[in-house]
Amino acid sequence: MVSIKDIARAAQVSHSTVSRALRGSSLVNPETRALIEKIAHEKGYMVSAIARSLVNRRTNTLGVVVTTIADPFAGEVVSGIEEYFLPKDYSLVLAACHSDRDRELRAVHSFHQRRVDGIIVMASRVGAMYVPMLSEMKVPIVLINSHHPGEFVHSVRIDDFRGARDATRHLLGLGHSRIGYVGDSLGFQSDADRCAGYRRTLEEAGVAFDFALIAYGDGSPEGGRVAMHQLLALPEPPSAVFCYNDREALGAMLAVRERGFRVPEDISLCGFDDLFLSSYIEPALTTVRQPKREMGLMAGEMLHQLLSGETPESRITAGWLIVRESTAPRAHRPPDSFSSVVTNA
């Protein structure tokens, strides 16, 4: 390892002069600074991140807490965070909490102990609990799509209520009146908001809200499959279903096929998120697009402002409906046509 003392010896200057020159200080003669930089380059000198952090009291490291690294939604958001911070010479460290509030808090405290400069938490289960923690930890924290009711000081989130209204209006516009909802049983605020948007839109259209048309999965494809089978087993199943997310919609699509029916000819399906794979399945999924990369960029910008001493406002971004082949006008079929099919689900 080449040290500052090695460079100082070769340049015949003090190591304090080398240190100032490598920081670009104007106190060093330009010719001397050029010589020092040339020697440092030739010898392959690299700045010690540990030494730099001791001087600057910054580690140039950020912690990012995600639900699971297997979720493609998280991957797209993290790519936006990374895109924002890499040019600024920051490194990201990931931790998965698997929708467990205790694991989330442990991950945040672990990042704090490792002296990260800031933390971004996706799909937080504790939300507003970070408000009292900030004075204790003194580490800026930004939440993305917090699942906890209430407002957090610094957050970026999608307008779940509005996105659900757009999806439900689309299905109503296709002539569907018996519209189901496949939600998430984990108690997320996003699920409550999407269900509320779905219900309000039905009621405004004069369609009576029916609790029997709501089934819950766990946000996964298998959870969506099981919930969809529950809806299809009703004496009068829905002709269209709005799903909490795209992953559940994929499972719901499989359930329809297992019953021997087709999407969208027999039943229309709509998701939420617009994961990259949603446009590649057959039929391609109609869904509400969340600007995932852009939300990562917004969270990155917000965290950077906090690190710079600024006080940014929380941001709510809108999603927009992407209409593809999984939704179509309501088919006219006998009301018991689904229940006549035997399945081993």
Side-chain angles (χ1 to χ4, degrees):
M1 293 289 293
V2 178
S3 68
I4 285 180
K5 290 182 179 180
D6 297 325
I7 299 172
R9 191 178 302 111
Q12 297 184 341
V13 297
S14 67
H15 29 87
S16 59
T17 299
V18 174
S19 179
R20 283 193 290 268
L22 294 177
R23 293 201 306 269
S25 173
S26 60
L27 298 176
V28 181
N29 179 287
E31 293 181 358
T32 303
R33 186 166 67 242
L35 173 63
I36 290 170
E37 289 174 348
K38 179 175 181 292
I39 293 172
H41 177 73
E42 290 174 348
K43 289 182 174 292
Y45 173 76
M46 297 183 66
V47 178
S48 167
I50 296 175
R52 183 176 60 186
S53 70
L54 291 173
V55 174
N56 299 335
R57 296 188 178 182
R58 290 281 181 90
T59 62
N60 275 44
T61 303
L62 304 172
V64 180
V65 182
V66 299
T67 304
T68 169
I69 59 174
D71 186 353
F73 180 92
E76 293 188 54
V77 176
V78 170
S79 70
I81 300 171
E82 186 178 45
E83 181 179 337
Y84 183 86
F85 277 111
L86 276 182
K88 297 172 174 56
D89 198 28
Y90 278 87
S91 300
L92 303 185
V93 180
L94 295 182
C97 66
H98 300 283
S99 296
D100 184 305
R101 53 174 287 161
D102 293 331
R103 290 182 69 166
E104 178 186 330
L105 290 172
R106 285 200 301 270
V108 169
H109 281 295
S110 175
F111 282 146
H112 178 228
Q113 292 168 358
R114 296 183 185 189
R115 297 183 59 196
V116 298
D117 296 334
I119 300 171
I120 295 176
V121 182
M122 292 174 53
S124 171
R125 295 302 304 271
V126 299
M129 285 181 61
Y130 286 115
V131 176
M133 288 171 57
L134 287 176
S135 59
E136 172 194 341
M137 295 175 58
K138 295 182 174 58
V139 175
I141 299 174
V142 173
L143 304 186
I144 300 177
N145 279 354
S146 173
H147 285 322
H148 189 278
E151 291 296 323
F152 179 67
V153 180
H154 311 297
S155 65
V156 175
R157 66 181 179 89
I158 189 76
D159 190 337
D160 290 296
F161 184 85
R162 177 179 168 183
R165 285 174 68 84
D166 290 344
T168 309
R169 282 196 188 109
H170 169 65
L171 297 174
L172 287 167
L174 292 172
H176 299 279
S177 57
R178 194 160 175 79
I179 301 172
Y181 175 67
V182 170
D184 192 303
S185 62
L186 297 179
F188 293 156
Q189 183 64 27
S190 52
D191 172 73
D193 291 341
R194 292 174 197 179
C195 188
Y198 151 82
R199 179 172 182 170
R200 174 78 64 82
T201 307
L202 290 178
E203 292 172 343
E204 289 176 350
V207 176
F209 176 73
D210 186 352
F211 280 104
L213 292 177
I214 297 182
Y216 286 95
D218 59 1
S220 70
E222 181 58 22
R225 173 182 172 272
V226 172
M228 190 67 191
H229 273 298
Q230 293 176 16
L231 294 178
L232 295 178
L234 292 171
E236 187 181 353
S239 63
V241 173
F242 168 46
C243 296
Y244 170 75
N245 63 17
D246 285 3
R247 298 174 73 208
E248 286 195 332
L250 295 179
M253 191 175 291
L254 176 60
V256 172
R257 289 172 178 164
E258 288 174 338
R259 293 265 175 172
F261 290 90
R262 299 168 298 169
V263 176
E265 291 85 355
D266 299 305
I267 189 164
S268 290
L269 289 178
C270 181
F272 200 111
D273 287 344
D274 192 30
L275 302 179
F276 75 91
L277 52 82
S278 298
S279 60
Y280 290 95
I281 60 175
E282 180 66 34
L285 184 66
T286 293
T287 184
V288 177
R289 174 176 293 171
Q290 292 204 58
K292 298 169 285 298
R293 171 182 159 274
E294 290 78 4
M295 291 171 73
L297 288 168
M298 283 189 280
E301 180 184 17
M302 186 176 293
L303 184 58
H304 191 239
Q305 289 173 329
L306 289 168
L307 291 169
S308 303
E310 302 175 38
T311 308
E313 294 183 356
S314 292
R315 300 176 67 173
I316 301 176
T317 184
W320 59 95
L321 185 71
I322 305 297
V323 178
R324 297 195 179 102
E325 291 77 35
S326 67
T327 53
R330 181 176 66 89
H332 295 282
R333 53 176 172 71
D336 61 345
S337 59
F338 281 95
S339 57
S340 63
V341 178
V342 176
T343 178
N344 58 359

